[in-house]
Amino acid sequence: MKSVNLTGLLPLALLPFLLSVAQVAANDDAFTPANPPEMKPIASHHTPAYRAAKEFLRGVNLGDYLEVPPQYFGRGVRVSAADIAQIKHEGFDHVRVPIGWQHYADPAPDYTLSPEIFGRVDFIVTNALADGLAVMINIHHFDELDSDPAAATGEFLAIWKQIAAHYEHFSEKLAFELDNEPHDNATTALMNPVYAQTIAEIRQTNPERTIFVEPGGWGVIGELKNLVLPPDKNVIVSVHCYEPFYFTHQGATWTRGLTPVTGIVFPGPPAQPLVPDPKLDLKPAMLDWIHKYNTLPAAQNPSSPRAFTAKLKYIRAWSDYYGRPVHLGEFGAYTKADEQSRANFYSTFRQAAEQENIGWCIWDWIAGFRYWDNQNNRPMPGMHEALFGKSNSNP
Ligand code: BGC
């Protein structure tokens, strides 16, 4: 279970951050159906997707492991069979496994995936299933698809065809998530037909498999309104939410300089006003946020549940209207936040998601946003109680 956090090591330009700044300021409109008649609601909520969603209620991302480029594999996070058993023991019911299949594909036209990556994924999948966990495997950080979706769609389909064939006979508790956080040129509108085509391809070999899809704009909730899915009855939608972003990503090195201020607590306001170092030369949006954080009472403070409760309600309303279960595939806070604030945040967010009947999956197990303290073989302080509401049986 030894790991070194690779999150800060990889200058991968991977993350939802530019957009998240927009999210910080975004209004939280109440749900009104925006794209009928393109996507027809599914009237019944007794579909295979709703049944499958019950297996994906409390999850953890095996982040910074199988998605990293091969030259970094094993240099940071390593997930063992003991980790997976511990995940089950803690009370999680599923794992989300980010995977960089594209790093292991031969060139066109076949894009043949190497046995090496199948071996690594099989190890996680078979151990997790054997321990009674549901598993979601995805394609993570497929940068070529984000920059030139038309050019990369052939490879995307070829990869999914091979994954689908390989896992055809696996338990129904294994699900496929088509693409992590499409963004930039991979807009929701552009991904809609790509998803429809990929789902049709997967259905050739896996007629019953649960498939998760994320909207564009880095999988943000605000993009649900642009999603148009085929009438398949076993598709679950997955979204990500890292609000309040200045709290969750404080001190992160991979946000292109957007979140340099540390010492932000959750919930605000702080006991003593936070005075950022003038040398940081902060942008007006962040200065304004800090001013509100320092001065507004708890109910209006930007570092509070106010940052996400309306978004979670929107998810629930969208989901109920369209008859598609929605899953929260990533939320979390970096370990630069103080331990008590992290525990407060995970607890509050988790409960708000459960109140809206939304299954959740934290970022992450033993990387930069870790749940598990693998140096001391126990959960990070307060994390077990935050997620499972009772004290931990493990010392
Ligand atoms: C990325 C991780 C990152 C996390 C939080 C995920 O989508 O894959 O690399 O640490 O978001 O920023």
Side-chain angles (χ1 to χ4, degrees):
M1 293 196 212
K2 186 167 161 33
S3 91
V4 178
N5 173 26
L6 265 184
T7 303
L9 227 174
L10 298 173
L12 292 180
L14 320 161
L15 305 167
F17 312 113
L18 294 177
L19 173 112
S20 287
V21 168
Q23 267 190 307
V24 169
N27 61 6
D28 289 313
D29 294 337
F31 169 75
T32 44
N35 62 354
E38 287 86 349
M39 186 162 89
K40 300 260 184 303
I42 295 178
S44 168
H45 289 195
H46 299 284
T47 58
Y50 276 97
R51 279 196 291 284
K54 296 200 174 94
E55 310 275 1
F56 291 88
L57 296 177
R58 300 176 299 278
V60 57
N61 275 280
L62 303 183
D64 285 11
Y65 183 46
L66 294 178
E67 77 271 41
V68 304
Q71 65 270 30
Y72 293 110
F73 177 74
R75 282 178 50 187
V77 167
R78 273 185 178 276
V79 179
S80 66
D83 282 298
I84 294 170
Q86 190 66 46
I87 287 169
K88 173 72 179 174
H89 181 74
E90 290 298 309
F92 294 102
D93 67 359
H94 70 282
V95 287
R96 178 171 178 262
V97 193
I99 304 164
W101 299 95
Q102 66 282 7
H103 303 307
Y104 297 83
D106 280 351
D110 294 336
Y111 302 106
T112 306
L113 293 167
S114 77
E116 193 185 14
I117 188 62
F118 277 117
R120 289 174 183 169
V121 178
D122 286 353
F123 174 80
I124 297 294
V125 169
T126 50
N127 274 288
L129 292 173
D131 282 341
L133 293 161
V135 188
M136 185 195 309
I137 58 174
N138 75 3
I139 301 185
H140 210 82
H141 297 327
F142 191 2
D143 298 341
E144 291 76 12
L145 188 71
D146 298 314
S147 52
D148 192 347
T153 295
E155 181 174 359
F156 185 71
L157 281 165
I159 290 176
W160 273 115
K161 196 172 174 175
Q162 294 170 75
I163 300 171
H166 185 87
Y167 292 107
E168 178 180 347
H169 299 297
F170 273 62
S171 153
E172 62 180 20
K173 288 183 77 161
L174 172 67
F176 299 158
E177 181 186 60
L178 300 186
D179 187 37
N180 173 69
E181 298 183 348
H183 59 273
D184 292 350
N185 294 325
T187 60
T188 311
L190 218 137
M191 289 306 289
N192 286 332
V194 176
Y195 284 154
Q197 210 183 337
T198 314
I199 291 167
E201 181 67 56
I202 291 170
R203 289 286 175 248
Q204 303 287 315
T205 48
N206 292 252
E208 315 281 336
R209 180 81 50 210
T210 302
I211 297 174
F212 287 74
V213 300
E214 292 186 29
W218 304 90
V220 288
I221 295 161
E223 278 294 314
L224 284 174
K225 64 179 181 301
N226 295 321
L227 201 57
V228 180
L229 297 170
D232 191 289
K233 300 265 171 46
N234 204 356
V235 170
I236 298 177
V237 175
S238 194
V239 289
H240 296 177
C241 180
Y242 280 105
E243 299 303 340
F245 187 66
Y246 292 128
F247 166 74
T248 65
H249 278 72
Q250 58 186 290
T253 51
W254 63 96
T255 60
R256 304 173 191 171
L258 288 172
T259 53
V261 179
T262 53
I264 299 170
V265 302
F266 187 95
Q272 299 300 324
L274 176 69
V275 183
D277 182 347
K279 288 206 272 309
L280 290 173
D281 197 19
L282 299 176
K283 302 234 166 15
M286 179 148 207
L287 288 171
D288 180 53
W289 190 92
I290 291 174
H291 176 68
K292 291 182 171 136
Y293 163 72
N294 281 335
T295 55
L296 291 179
Q300 278 96 47
N301 199 278
S303 188
S304 78
R306 196 175 173 272
F308 47 77
T309 41
K311 291 182 194 304
L312 298 175
K313 284 188 191 309
Y314 181 97
I315 294 180
R316 174 71 187 278
W318 185 94
S319 170
D320 286 350
Y321 180 84
Y322 285 109
R324 319 286 177 138
V326 180
H327 172 262
L328 225 143
E330 289 186 20
F331 79 96
Y334 192 28
T335 41
K336 289 272 165 94
D338 71 89
E339 289 172 344
Q340 184 62 55
S341 291
R342 284 188 82 221
N344 295 344
F345 168 76
Y346 277 93
S347 169
T348 314
F349 196 111
R350 185 269 299 175
Q351 291 180 63
E354 288 178 356
Q355 199 169 350
E356 302 303 335
N357 271 343
I358 301 166
W360 47 262
C361 189
I362 61 162
W363 192 272
D364 59 58
W365 177 239
I366 43 174
F369 288 45
R370 69 183 60 134
Y371 171 95
W372 188 248
D373 173 358
N374 55 340
Q375 303 296 316
N376 298 302
N377 246 359
R378 61 179 181 221
M380 294 292 282
M383 287 294 281
H384 182 89
E385 296 78 0
L387 295 182
F388 302 103
K390 53 187 184 302
S391 72
N392 185 19
S393 55
N394 302 295

